[in-house]
Coordinates of all heavy atoms in Angstrom, one line a residue:
M1 N 65.0 14.0 155.8 CA 65.9 14.1 154.5 C 66.6 15.5 154.6 O 66.1 16.4 154.8 CB 65.2 13.9 153.3 CG 65.2 12.5 152.6 SD 66.6 11.8 152.2 CE 66.6 12.2 150.4
A2 N 67.9 15.4 154.2 CA 68.7 16.7 154.3 C 68.2 17.4 153.0 O 68.2 16.9 151.8 CB 70.1 16.3 154.1
D3 N 67.8 18.5 153.2 CA 67.5 19.5 152.0 C 68.8 20.2 151.5 O 69.8 20.2 152.2 CB 66.3 20.4 152.2 CG 66.6 21.4 153.4 OD1 67.7 21.6 153.6 OD2 65.7 21.8 153.9
T4 N 68.6 20.9 150.5 CA 69.6 21.6 149.9 C 70.3 22.6 150.8 O 71.6 22.7 151.0 CB 69.3 22.4 148.5 OG1 68.7 21.3 147.8 CG2 70.5 22.9 147.8
T5 N 69.4 23.4 151.6 CA 69.8 24.4 152.6 C 70.8 23.7 153.5 O 71.8 24.3 153.9 CB 68.7 25.0 153.2 OG1 67.7 25.2 152.2 CG2 69.1 26.3 153.9
T6 N 70.5 22.5 154.0 CA 71.1 21.9 155.0 C 72.5 21.4 154.5 O 73.5 21.6 155.1 CB 70.5 20.7 155.6 OG1 69.1 21.1 156.0 CG2 71.2 20.0 156.7
V7 N 72.5 20.8 153.4 CA 73.7 20.3 152.7 C 74.7 21.3 152.4 O 75.9 21.1 152.5 CB 73.4 19.3 151.6 CG1 74.7 18.8 150.9 CG2 72.5 18.1 152.1
L8 N 74.2 22.4 152.0 CA 75.0 23.5 151.6 C 75.4 24.5 152.8 O 76.0 25.6 152.5 CB 74.4 24.3 150.4 CG 74.2 23.5 149.2 CD1 73.7 24.4 148.0 CD2 75.6 22.9 148.7
G9 N 75.0 24.1 154.0 CA 75.1 25.0 155.1 C 76.5 25.3 155.5 O 77.5 24.5 155.1
E10 N 76.8 26.3 156.4 CA 78.2 26.6 156.8 C 78.8 25.5 157.5 O 78.2 24.7 158.3 CB 77.8 27.7 157.9 CG 79.0 28.4 158.3 CD 79.1 29.7 157.5 OE1 78.1 30.2 156.9 OE2 80.3 30.2 157.3
Y11 N 80.2 25.4 157.2 CA 81.0 24.4 157.9 C 81.7 25.1 158.9 O 82.0 26.4 158.8 CB 82.0 23.7 157.0 CG 81.4 22.5 156.1 CD1 80.5 22.8 155.1 CD2 81.5 21.2 156.5 CE1 80.0 21.9 154.3 CE2 81.0 20.2 155.9 CZ 80.2 20.5 154.6 OH 79.7 19.4 154.0
F12 N 82.2 24.4 160.0 CA 83.1 24.8 161.0 C 84.1 23.9 161.3 O 83.9 22.8 161.0 CB 82.3 25.5 162.2 CG 81.5 24.4 162.7 CD1 82.0 23.5 163.8 CD2 80.2 24.1 162.3 CE1 81.3 22.3 164.1 CE2 79.4 23.1 162.7 CZ 80.0 22.3 163.7
I13 N 85.2 24.3 161.9 CA 86.3 23.3 162.1 C 86.7 23.2 163.6 O 86.8 24.2 164.2 CB 87.5 23.7 161.2 CG1 87.2 23.5 159.7 CG2 88.7 23.0 161.6 CD1 88.1 24.2 158.7
I14 N 86.9 22.0 163.9 CA 87.5 21.8 165.4 C 88.9 21.2 165.2 O 89.1 20.3 164.5 CB 86.5 20.7 166.1 CG1 85.0 21.3 166.1 CG2 87.1 20.6 167.5 CD1 84.2 20.2 165.5
R15 N 89.7 21.8 165.8 CA 91.1 21.4 165.8 C 91.6 21.1 167.1 O 91.6 21.9 168.1 CB 92.1 22.5 165.1 CG 93.5 22.0 165.1 CD 94.2 22.8 164.0 NE 94.4 24.3 164.5 CZ 95.5 24.6 165.1 NH1 96.6 23.7 165.3 NH2 95.8 25.9 165.5
A16 N 91.9 19.7 167.3 CA 92.2 19.3 168.7 C 93.7 19.7 169.1 O 94.6 19.5 168.3 CB 92.1 17.7 168.8
L17 N 93.8 20.2 170.3 CA 95.1 20.5 170.7 C 95.8 19.5 171.7 O 96.8 19.6 172.2 CB 95.2 21.9 171.5 CG 94.8 23.1 170.6 CD1 94.6 24.4 171.4 CD2 95.6 23.3 169.3
E18 N 95.0 18.5 172.1 CA 95.4 17.4 172.9 C 94.6 16.2 172.5 O 93.7 16.2 171.9 CB 95.1 17.7 174.3 CG 93.6 17.8 174.8 CD 93.4 18.1 176.2 OE1 94.3 18.2 177.0 OE2 92.2 18.3 176.6
N19 N 95.1 15.0 173.0 CA 94.4 13.7 172.7 C 93.1 13.7 173.4 O 93.0 14.2 174.6 CB 95.3 12.5 173.1 CG 96.6 12.5 172.3 OD1 96.5 13.0 171.1 ND2 97.6 11.8 172.8
G20 N 92.1 12.9 172.8 CA 90.9 12.8 173.6 C 89.9 13.9 173.7 O 89.0 13.8 174.5
V21 N 90.0 14.8 172.7 CA 89.1 16.0 172.6 C 87.7 15.3 172.2 O 87.7 14.6 171.2 CB 89.4 17.0 171.7 CG1 88.4 18.0 171.3 CG2 90.7 17.8 172.3
Q22 N 86.7 15.8 172.9 CA 85.4 15.1 172.5 C 84.4 16.3 171.9 O 84.4 17.3 172.3 CB 84.6 14.6 173.7 CG 85.2 13.4 174.3 CD 84.4 12.8 175.5 OE1 83.2 12.4 175.3 NE2 84.9 12.8 176.5
V23 N 83.9 15.8 170.8 CA 83.0 16.6 170.1 C 81.5 15.9 170.2 O 81.4 14.8 169.7 CB 83.3 16.7 168.6 CG1 82.2 17.6 167.9 CG2 84.7 17.4 168.4
I24 N 80.8 16.6 170.8 CA 79.4 15.9 171.3 C 78.3 16.7 170.5 O 78.2 17.8 170.8 CB 79.2 16.1 172.9 CG1 80.5 15.3 173.4 CG2 78.0 15.4 173.2 CD1 80.5 15.7 175.0
G25 N 77.7 15.9 169.7 CA 76.5 16.5 168.9 C 75.3 16.4 169.7 O 74.9 15.4 170.3
M26 N 74.4 17.4 169.7 CA 73.1 17.4 170.4 C 71.9 17.6 169.5 O 72.0 18.3 168.5 CB 73.2 18.4 171.5 CG 74.3 18.2 172.4 SD 74.6 19.6 173.5 CE 73.3 19.3 174.7
T27 N 71.0 16.9 169.8 CA 69.8 16.8 168.9 C 69.1 18.0 168.7 O 68.9 19.0 169.5 CB 68.7 15.7 169.5 OG1 68.4 16.2 170.8 CG2 69.2 14.4 169.5
R28 N 68.4 18.3 167.5 CA 67.6 19.3 167.1 C 66.1 18.9 167.6 O 65.8 17.7 167.6 CB 67.7 19.7 165.7 CG 66.9 20.8 165.4 CD 67.0 21.1 163.8 NE 68.5 21.5 163.5 CZ 69.1 22.6 163.7 NH1 68.4 23.7 164.3 NH2 70.3 22.8 163.3
G29 N 65.3 19.9 168.0 CA 63.9 19.4 168.3 C 63.6 19.7 169.8 O 64.3 20.4 170.5
S30 N 62.5 19.1 170.1 CA 61.9 19.6 171.5 C 62.7 19.0 172.6 O 62.8 19.5 173.7 CB 60.4 19.1 171.5 OG 60.3 17.8 171.1
E31 N 63.4 17.8 172.4 CA 64.3 17.2 173.3 C 65.7 17.4 173.0 O 66.1 17.0 171.9 CB 64.0 15.7 173.5 CG 62.8 15.3 174.3 CD 62.8 13.9 174.5 OE1 63.4 13.4 175.5 OE2 62.1 13.1 173.7
T32 N 66.4 17.9 173.9 CA 67.8 18.1 173.6 C 68.6 17.0 174.3 O 68.7 16.9 175.6 CB 68.3 19.5 174.2 OG1 67.4 20.6 173.6 CG2 69.7 19.8 173.8
K33 N 69.3 16.2 173.5 CA 70.0 15.0 174.0 C 71.3 14.9 173.3 O 71.4 15.4 172.2 CB 69.3 13.7 173.8 CG 68.0 13.6 174.5 CD 67.5 12.2 174.1 CE 66.0 11.9 174.7 NZ 65.5 10.8 174.0
F34 N 72.2 14.2 173.9 CA 73.6 13.9 173.1 C 73.1 12.8 172.1 O 72.5 11.9 172.4 CB 74.6 13.4 174.0 CG 75.1 14.2 175.1 CD1 76.1 13.7 176.0 CD2 74.7 15.5 175.0 CE1 76.6 14.6 177.0 CE2 75.3 16.3 176.0 CZ 76.3 15.9 177.0
H35 N 73.6 12.9 170.8 CA 73.3 11.9 169.8 C 74.6 11.3 169.3 O 74.6 10.3 168.7 CB 72.3 12.3 168.7 CG 73.0 13.3 167.9 ND1 73.8 13.0 166.9 CD2 72.7 14.6 167.7 CE1 74.1 13.9 166.2 NE2 73.5 15.1 166.7
H36 N 75.7 12.0 169.5 CA 76.9 11.5 168.9 C 78.1 12.0 169.6 O 78.1 13.3 169.9 CB 77.0 12.1 167.4 CG 78.0 11.6 166.5 ND1 77.8 10.6 165.7 CD2 79.3 12.0 166.4 CE1 79.0 10.2 165.1 NE2 79.8 11.1 165.5
T37 N 79.1 11.1 169.8 CA 80.3 11.6 170.3 C 81.5 11.3 169.5 O 81.6 10.0 169.1 CB 80.6 11.0 171.8 OG1 79.5 11.4 172.6 CG2 82.0 11.5 172.4
E38 N 82.3 12.2 169.2 CA 83.5 11.9 168.2 C 84.7 12.2 169.1 O 84.7 13.2 169.9 CB 83.3 12.9 167.1 CG 84.2 12.5 165.9 CD 83.7 11.2 165.2 OE1 82.5 11.1 165.0 OE2 84.5 10.4 164.9
K39 N 85.8 11.4 169.0 CA 87.0 11.8 169.6 C 88.0 12.1 168.7 O 88.2 11.4 167.8 CB 87.4 10.4 170.5 CG 87.0 10.4 171.9 CD 88.0 9.9 172.9 CE 87.5 9.8 174.2 NZ 87.7 8.6 175.0
L40 N 88.7 13.3 169.1 CA 89.8 13.6 168.2 C 91.1 13.7 169.0 O 91.1 14.0 170.1 CB 89.5 15.1 167.8 CG 88.3 15.5 166.9 CD1 88.2 17.0 166.7 CD2 88.2 14.6 165.7
D41 N 92.1 13.2 168.3 CA 93.5 13.3 168.9 C 94.2 14.5 168.5 O 93.9 15.2 167.6 CB 94.3 12.0 168.6 CG 93.8 10.7 169.5 OD1 93.2 11.0 170.6 OD2 93.8 9.6 169.1
R42 N 95.2 14.8 169.3 CA 96.0 16.0 169.0 C 96.4 16.1 167.5 O 96.9 15.3 167.0 CB 97.3 15.9 169.8 CG 98.2 17.2 169.7 CD 99.4 17.1 170.7 NE 100.5 17.9 170.3 CZ 100.5 19.2 170.7 NH1 99.6 19.7 171.6 NH2 101.5 20.1 170.4
G43 N 96.1 17.3 166.9 CA 96.4 17.5 165.5 C 95.3 17.1 164.6 O 95.4 17.4 163.5
E44 N 94.4 16.4 165.1 CA 93.3 16.0 164.3 C 92.3 17.2 164.1 O 92.1 18.0 165.0 CB 92.5 14.8 164.8 CG 93.2 13.5 164.5 CD 92.3 12.3 164.9 OE1 91.8 12.3 166.0 OE2 92.3 11.3 164.0
V45 N 91.7 17.3 162.8 CA 90.8 18.3 162.5 C 89.5 17.6 162.2 O 89.4 16.6 161.5 CB 91.5 19.1 161.4 CG1 90.4 19.9 160.7 CG2 92.6 19.9 162.0
M46 N 88.4 18.2 162.5 CA 87.0 17.8 162.0 C 86.4 19.0 161.5 O 86.4 20.0 162.0 CB 86.2 17.2 163.2 CG 84.8 16.8 162.9 SD 84.1 15.9 164.3 CE 82.4 15.9 163.8
I47 N 85.8 18.7 160.3 CA 85.2 19.8 159.6 C 83.6 19.2 159.6 O 83.3 18.1 159.3 CB 85.6 20.1 158.2 CG1 84.7 21.2 157.5 CG2 85.8 18.8 157.4 CD1 85.5 21.8 156.3
A48 N 82.7 20.1 160.1 CA 81.4 19.6 160.4 C 80.3 20.8 160.1 O 80.7 21.9 160.0 CB 81.2 19.2 161.8
Q49 N 79.1 20.4 160.0 CA 78.0 21.3 159.8 C 76.9 21.1 160.9 O 76.9 20.0 161.4 CB 77.2 21.0 158.5 CG 77.9 21.4 157.3 CD 77.1 20.9 156.1 OE1 76.6 19.8 155.9 NE2 76.7 21.9 155.3
F50 N 76.1 22.0 161.1 CA 74.8 21.8 161.8 C 73.9 21.3 160.9 O 74.0 21.5 159.6 CB 74.2 23.1 162.4 CG 75.1 23.5 163.6 CD1 76.0 24.5 163.6 CD2 75.0 22.9 164.9 CE1 76.8 24.9 164.7 CE2 75.7 23.2 165.9 CZ 76.6 24.3 165.8
T51 N 73.1 20.3 161.2 CA 72.2 19.7 160.2 C 70.7 19.6 160.9 O 70.6 20.1 162.0 CB 72.6 18.1 160.0 OG1 72.4 17.4 161.2 CG2 74.0 18.1 159.7
E52 N 69.9 19.0 160.2 CA 68.4 18.8 160.8 C 68.6 17.8 162.0 O 67.5 17.9 162.8 CB 67.6 18.3 159.8 CG 67.7 16.8 159.3 CD 68.6 16.5 158.2 OE1 69.6 17.3 158.1 OE2 68.4 15.6 157.4
H53 N 69.7 17.1 162.2 CA 69.8 16.2 163.4 C 70.4 16.9 164.5 O 70.4 16.6 165.6 CB 70.4 14.9 163.2 CG 69.8 14.2 162.0 ND1 68.6 13.7 162.1 CD2 70.2 13.9 160.7 CE1 68.2 13.1 161.0 NE2 69.2 13.2 160.2
T54 N 71.4 17.9 164.2 CA 72.4 18.5 165.2 C 72.1 19.9 165.2 O 72.2 20.6 164.2 CB 73.7 18.2 164.7 OG1 74.0 16.8 164.5 CG2 74.9 18.7 165.6
S55 N 71.7 20.4 166.4 CA 71.5 21.9 166.6 C 72.5 22.5 167.5 O 72.6 23.7 167.5 CB 70.1 22.1 167.2 OG 70.1 21.6 168.4
A56 N 73.2 21.7 168.2 CA 74.2 22.3 169.2 C 75.3 21.2 169.4 O 75.2 19.9 169.1 CB 73.5 22.4 170.5
M57 N 76.4 21.7 169.9 CA 77.6 20.9 170.1 C 78.3 21.3 171.4 O 78.3 22.5 171.7 CB 78.6 21.1 169.0 CG 78.6 19.9 168.1 SD 79.7 20.2 166.8 CE 78.9 21.4 166.0
K58 N 78.8 20.3 172.0 CA 79.7 20.5 173.1 C 81.0 20.0 172.8 O 81.2 19.0 172.4 CB 78.9 19.7 174.3 CG 79.5 20.0 175.6 CD 78.5 19.6 176.7 CE 79.1 19.2 178.0 NZ 78.2 18.9 179.0
I59 N 82.0 20.9 173.1 CA 83.4 20.5 173.0 C 84.2 20.2 174.3 O 84.1 21.3 175.1 CB 84.2 21.6 172.1 CG1 83.3 21.9 170.9 CG2 85.6 20.9 171.6 CD1 83.1 21.0 169.8
R60 N 84.7 19.2 174.6 CA 85.5 18.9 175.7 C 86.8 18.8 175.5 O 87.3 18.0 174.6 CB 84.9 17.6 176.5 CG 83.7 17.8 177.4 CD 83.6 16.5 178.2 NE 82.2 16.7 178.7 CZ 81.4 15.8 178.8 NH1 81.8 14.4 178.5 NH2 80.2 15.9 179.4
G61 N 87.7 19.5 176.2 CA 89.1 19.4 176.1 C 89.7 20.5 175.3 O 89.0 21.5 174.9
R62 N 91.0 20.6 175.1 CA 91.6 21.7 174.5 C 91.6 21.7 173.0 O 92.1 20.7 172.3 CB 93.1 21.8 174.9 CG 93.4 22.4 176.3 CD 94.9 22.2 176.7 NE 95.7 22.5 175.8 CZ 96.1 23.8 175.5 NH1 95.5 24.9 176.1 NH2 97.0 24.1 174.5
A63 N 90.9 22.7 172.4 CA 90.7 22.7 171.0 C 90.5 24.2 170.5 O 90.3 25.0 171.3 CB 89.4 21.9 170.7
I64 N 90.6 24.4 169.2 CA 90.3 25.6 168.6 C 89.1 25.5 167.6 O 89.1 24.5 166.9 CB 91.6 26.2 167.9 CG1 92.6 26.4 168.9 CG2 91.1 27.6 167.4 CD1 93.9 26.9 168.2
L65 N 88.2 26.1 167.7 CA 87.1 26.2 166.8 C 87.1 27.3 165.9 O 87.3 28.6 166.3 CB 85.7 26.3 167.6 CG 85.5 25.6 168.9 CD1 84.2 25.8 169.5 CD2 85.7 24.1 168.6
Y66 N 87.0 27.0 164.6 CA 87.1 28.1 163.6 C 85.6 28.2 163.0 O 85.2 27.3 162.4 CB 88.1 27.8 162.5 CG 89.5 27.5 163.0 CD1 89.9 26.2 163.5 CD2 90.4 28.6 162.8 CE1 91.1 26.1 163.9 CE2 91.6 28.3 163.5 CZ 92.1 27.2 163.9 OH 93.2 27.1 164.4
T67 N 85.0 29.2 163.2 CA 83.6 29.5 163.0 C 83.4 30.8 162.3 O 84.2 31.7 162.4 CB 82.6 29.5 164.1 OG1 82.7 30.7 164.9 CG2 83.2 28.3 165.1
K68 N 82.2 31.1 161.7 CA 82.1 32.4 161.2 C 81.9 33.4 162.3 O 82.0 34.6 162.0 CB 80.7 32.4 160.3 CG 79.4 32.3 161.0 CD 78.3 32.3 160.1 CE 76.9 32.3 160.8 NZ 75.8 32.4 159.8
H69 N 81.7 32.9 163.6 CA 81.7 33.9 164.7 C 83.1 34.3 165.2 O 83.2 35.0 166.0 CB 80.9 33.3 165.8 CG 79.6 32.8 165.3 ND1 78.6 33.7 165.0 CD2 79.1 31.6 165.1 CE1 77.5 33.0 164.6 NE2 77.7 31.7 164.7
G70 N 84.1 33.7 164.6 CA 85.5 33.8 164.9 C 86.2 32.6 165.3 O 85.6 31.5 165.1
T71 N 87.4 32.8 165.8 CA 88.3 31.6 166.1 C 88.2 31.5 167.7 O 88.5 32.5 168.4 CB 89.7 31.9 165.7 OG1 89.6 32.0 164.3 CG2 90.6 30.8 166.1
I72 N 87.8 30.4 168.3 CA 87.4 30.4 169.6 C 88.2 29.2 170.3 O 87.9 28.0 169.9 CB 86.0 30.2 169.8 CG1 85.1 31.2 169.0 CG2 85.6 30.0 171.3 CD1 83.8 30.8 168.6
P73 N 89.1 29.4 171.2 CA 89.7 28.4 171.9 C 88.9 28.0 173.1 O 88.2 28.8 173.6 CB 91.1 29.1 172.4 CG 90.8 30.6 172.4 CD 89.6 30.8 171.6
T74 N 88.8 26.7 173.4 CA 87.9 26.3 174.4 C 88.6 26.7 175.8 O 87.8 26.8 176.7 CB 87.8 24.7 174.5 OG1 89.2 24.1 174.5 CG2 87.1 24.2 173.3
V75 N 89.8 26.9 175.9 CA 90.3 27.3 177.2 C 91.4 28.6 176.8 O 92.1 28.5 175.8 CB 91.2 26.3 178.0 CG1 90.4 25.3 178.6 CG2 92.2 25.7 177.0
E76 N 91.5 29.4 177.8 CA 92.5 30.5 177.7 C 93.9 30.1 178.2 O 93.7 29.6 179.4 CB 92.0 31.8 178.2 CG 90.9 32.3 177.4 CD 90.4 33.8 177.9 OE1 91.2 34.6 178.2 OE2 89.2 33.8 178.2
D77 N 94.9 30.4 177.6 CA 96.3 30.0 178.2 C 96.8 31.2 178.8 O 96.5 32.4 178.6 CB 97.1 29.6 177.0 CG 96.7 28.3 176.4 OD1 96.6 27.3 177.2 OD2 96.4 28.2 175.2
Ligands
LIG1 N1 74.8 12.5 161.6 C1 74.9 13.7 162.3 C2 74.0 14.7 161.6 O1 73.8 14.8 160.4 C3 76.4 14.0 161.9 C4 76.8 15.4 162.5 C5 76.7 16.5 161.8 C6 77.5 15.8 163.6 N2 77.1 17.6 162.5 C7 77.7 17.1 163.7 C8 78.1 15.1 164.8 C9 78.3 17.8 164.7 C10 78.7 15.7 165.7 C11 78.9 17.0 165.6 O2 73.4 15.6 162.4

């Protein structure tokens, strides 16, 4: 169950710069596996949190991540 800390946790944003950007959620816990793949098309934005199910994410394709660690493009132009 999601506790308050999880639900109120930090959000970050993925902004797709091309079609078919993949956001791949990876499991929390002793086994690290993909558990979710989301496809974003150019101009689409996803706002997401890390949760008790998701501890890491892999982003494939051209996108910009807006996080508390800064604004991170997946590729340098
Ligand atoms: N059901 C997933 C979870 O609660 C949804 C999710 C949260 C997710 N953050 C994500 C999926 C980041 C992909 C990427 O963990």
Side-chain angles (χ1 to χ4, degrees):
M1 265 295 260
D3 63 20
T4 309
T5 321
T6 304
V7 173
L8 298 180
E10 192 95 24
Y11 281 82
F12 52 89
I13 293 167
I14 303 128
R15 183 157 71 92
L17 299 178
E18 66 180 359
N19 291 338
V21 168
Q22 287 186 62
V23 179
I24 302 162
M26 299 168 80
T27 55
R28 186 177 298 284
S30 49
E31 278 190 83
T32 305
K33 296 183 188 162
F34 293 177
H35 70 73
H36 187 97
T37 301
E38 200 65 43
K39 262 211 181 142
L40 303 181
D41 282 335
R42 183 179 163 83
E44 282 190 316
V45 162
M46 180 167 159
I47 178 163
Q49 287 177 302
F50 287 101
T51 67
E52 74 271 37
H53 304 296
T54 307
S55 67
M57 252 184 294
K58 186 163 159 174
I59 314 294
R60 273 193 196 140
R62 281 172 45 79
I64 301 177
L65 316 179
Y66 299 88
T67 79
K68 71 172 179 185
H69 307 290
T71 300
I72 306 151
T74 55
V75 286
E76 288 182 54
D77 293 304

